[in-house]
């Protein structure tokens, strides 16, 4: 299927790079191929991509300055770095929300095996963490609290400002948020709205940038041990020749991430949900009662198999997701839905529709048409 004919409704998995992103990467490879950390980089212009990426990120996130950003291969690496840093503090308690992405829950499990006390912060049936539970789980021994900013499956926005205030008032723990799904979809201001957030992970391919580049915001004054040792690039925090083309792409994507395109996306999402519920009264849209990022709908259909439906839609050129299967080979319904108390069988009938600012009305119409046609012609799976 060519790029033009694909109806891509899986934008929480990744997004199509903006044309400007592709163009700036191409230009970087042609013109700025010199080593970005060589002493001659200011003369060759090879220092520009990282400077521009840092400055665009500082603007997008309302950070103090570009120096707060260290670039990594993406959010998975950034999240692993945060746990690596916490591990240096020796023993202690680590709190993570019950709905973290595998790139947080995976390292957390590894730390639990190494003797750290890792506890989940429970979530409501609406997919939002319980702040009172967070407060009661905090102790003086707590070294790290990690709560994602917006959930990749439901889209539920988490109370990061309140949670970080509670953590800072009651402990000396580091506060980390995995903001991978929030960037470009939610206004973020690290100095005014989130002053108690120490660390924030992000990934460019979730906001129309290239894959394999992302970073970690580190609040000035927060000391992190380096994650990758070597040639001392990026102030010695993350060695290795910087990925200049990807940084040029990241800079372009960050500069183009305004909130206006999202008003359209949200209208499209709301239209889709309205028409879907008219046709399928029994469908459940998760976290609909909560504040959500404007592009996401996570829907469960009783008596339907999510994996089958996703495969059927893909065969028709409409790309969606079950939401839970982004890790290779993952089977079974979403752990996050189960943490929200959703019935196992209902959770099995789940598909995620995630739009982007590039999504079009006709794409939603094609999806609705396919779903309603299916209703006329129930699959063998239905009882
Ligand atoms: N965190 C969240 C919430 C995500 O949705 C994803 C991507 N599925 C990641 C982390 C991993 O990001 P990356 O692909 O940059 O490693």
């Amino acid at each position: 299927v060519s790029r033009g004919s694909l109806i891509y409704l899986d934008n929480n998995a990744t997004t199509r790079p903006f044309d400007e992103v592709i163009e700036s990467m191409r230009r970087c490879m042609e013109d700025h191929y010199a080593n970005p950390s060589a002493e001659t980089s200011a003369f060759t212009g090879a220092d520009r991509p990282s400077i521009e990426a840092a400055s665009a990120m500082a603007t997008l996130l309302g950070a103090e300055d570009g120096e707060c950003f260290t670039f990594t291969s993406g959010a998975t690496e950034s999240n692993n770095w945060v746990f690596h840093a916490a591990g240096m503090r020796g023993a202690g308690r680590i709190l993570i929300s019950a709905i973290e992405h595998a790139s947080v829950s995976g390292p957390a499990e590894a730390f639990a095996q190494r003797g750290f006390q890792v506890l989940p912060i429970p979530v409501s049936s609406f997919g939002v963490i319980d702040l009172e539970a967070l407060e009661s789980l905090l102790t003086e021994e707590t070294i790290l609290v990690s709560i994602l900013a917006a959930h990749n499956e439901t889209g539920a926005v988490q109370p990061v400002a309140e949670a970080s205030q509670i953590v800072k008032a009651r402990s000396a723990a580091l506060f980390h948020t995995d903001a991978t799904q929030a960037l470009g979809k939610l206004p973020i201001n690290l100095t005014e709205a989130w002053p108690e957030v120490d660390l924030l992970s992000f990934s460019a391919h979730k906001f129309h940038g290239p894959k394999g580049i992302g970073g970690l915001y580190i609040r000035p004054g927060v000391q992190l041990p380096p994650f990758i040792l070597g040639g001392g690039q990026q102030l010695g925090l993350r060695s290795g020749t910087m990925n200049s083309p990807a940084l040029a792409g990241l800079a372009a994507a960050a500069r183009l991430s305004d909130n206006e395109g999202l008003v359209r996306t949200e209208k499209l999402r709301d239209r889709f949900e309205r028409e879907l519920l008219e046709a399928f009264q029994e469908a459940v849209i998760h976290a609909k009662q909560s504040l959500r990022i404007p592009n996401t709908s996570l829907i469960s259909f009783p008596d339907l198999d999510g994996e089958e439906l996703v495969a059927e839609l893909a065969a028709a050129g409409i790309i969606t997701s079950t939401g839970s299967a982004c890790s290779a080979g993952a089977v079974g319904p979403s752990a996050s839905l189960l943490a929200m108390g959703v019935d196992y069988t209902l959770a099995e009938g789940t598909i995620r529709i995630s739009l982007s600012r590039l999504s079009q009305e006709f794409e939603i119409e094609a999806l609705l048409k396919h779903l309603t046609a299916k209703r006329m012609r129930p699959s063998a799976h239905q009882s």
Side-chain angles (χ1 to χ4, degrees):
V1 190
S2 76
R3 177 174 117 164
S5 63
L6 206 61
I7 295 185
Y8 194 73
L9 304 176
D10 194 15
N11 288 281
N12 285 6
T14 198
T15 52
R16 184 177 128 189
F18 287 136
D19 291 344
E20 292 86 343
V21 167
I22 298 170
E23 179 52 26
S24 62
M25 293 179 76
R26 195 184 61 80
R27 243 186 296 119
C28 175
M29 285 200 274
E30 280 177 3
D31 300 340
H32 294 147
Y33 57 83
N35 191 304
S37 303
E39 63 258 71
T40 49
S41 66
F43 298 95
T44 60
D47 61 342
R48 297 311 305 166
S50 69
I51 294 172
E52 282 168 20
S55 137
M57 286 310 301
T59 306
L60 180 64
L61 299 181
E64 291 82 349
D65 55 51
E67 287 187 9
C68 305
F69 295 93
T70 304
F71 297 106
T72 65
S73 62
T76 298
E77 182 185 326
S78 300
N79 292 342
N80 273 269
W81 184 9
V82 169
F83 277 83
H84 171 77
M88 295 288 190
R89 294 188 170 197
R93 177 176 281 207
I94 297 175
L95 305 178
I96 67 167
S97 86
I99 52 171
E100 289 300 314
H101 185 264
S103 55
V104 165
S105 62
E109 266 167 43
F111 274 76
Q113 275 163 21
R114 282 168 47 184
F116 288 79
Q117 192 185 23
V118 179
L119 296 170
I121 307 159
V123 293
S124 71
S125 57
F126 300 159
V128 178
I129 57 151
D130 179 339
L131 289 171
E132 279 175 24
L134 164 64
E135 195 157 5
S136 68
L137 289 168
L138 276 169
T139 56
E140 277 177 19
E141 291 74 43
T142 310
I143 54 170
L144 172 66
V145 178
S146 182
I147 297 169
L148 83 182
H151 192 244
N152 43 302
E153 295 169 48
T154 62
V157 173
Q158 304 301 315
V160 168
E162 294 86 338
S164 57
Q165 271 162 19
I166 292 171
V167 169
K168 291 293 160 182
R170 310 229 2 189
S171 74
L174 281 172
F175 187 91
H176 167 245
T177 184
D178 173 0
T180 305
Q181 293 293 348
L183 258 76
K185 300 177 195 158
L186 198 70
I188 296 177
N189 192 304
L190 277 160
T191 40
E192 281 162 23
W194 290 0
E196 332 258 25
V197 168
D198 295 311
L199 303 161
L200 176 148
S201 306
F202 62 93
S203 180
H205 72 99
K206 306 285 185 178
F207 56 101
H208 305 281
K211 294 167 183 57
I213 189 85
L216 186 66
Y217 161 85
I218 307 171
R219 172 90 49 198
V222 173
Q223 297 295 327
L224 276 205
F227 192 37
I228 297 185
L229 300 172
Q233 289 90 344
Q234 303 203 66
L235 305 172
L237 287 173
R238 204 273 190 179
S239 284
T241 303
M242 280 185 285
N243 188 346
S244 319
L247 286 165
L250 164 58
R255 280 196 293 263
L256 290 167
S257 289
D258 60 90
N259 279 310
E260 278 145 40
L262 286 178
V263 177
R264 243 194 75 242
T265 312
E266 185 161 29
K267 280 201 186 122
L268 203 55
R269 194 264 313 262
D270 291 348
R271 175 188 164 199
F272 166 68
E273 292 190 349
R274 208 172 40 246
E275 294 186 19
L276 180 90
L277 288 176
E278 276 166 20
F280 297 86
Q281 275 98 29
E282 74 286 14
V284 177
I285 298 177
H286 298 286
K288 197 168 166 32
Q289 309 82 341
S290 306
L291 179 64
R292 287 181 295 162
I293 42 176
N295 72 320
T296 307
S297 300
L298 187 71
I299 308 141
S300 292
F301 297 95
D303 305 322
L304 257 186
D305 184 276
E307 281 180 38
E308 265 176 41
L309 182 55
V310 166
E312 203 181 299
L313 288 167
I318 304 175
I319 305 305
T320 62
S321 160
T322 57
S324 61
C326 48
S327 38
V331 281
S334 147
S336 295
L337 279 185
L338 299 178
M340 287 161 61
V342 174
D343 173 73
Y344 191 96
T345 322
L346 183 64
E348 281 183 320
T350 302
I351 70 164
R352 180 184 68 191
I353 309 301
S354 47
L355 309 178
S356 83
R357 58 186 75 222
L358 301 177
S359 299
Q360 303 287 330
E361 301 271 347
F362 82 86
E363 298 180 307
I364 293 303
E365 286 157 12
L367 173 64
L368 284 165
K369 201 168 146 201
H370 197 97
L371 291 173
T372 40
K374 184 175 172 59
R375 146 134 303 174
M376 307 294 161
R377 164 182 55 75
S379 80
H381 188 84
Q382 280 183 311
S383 48

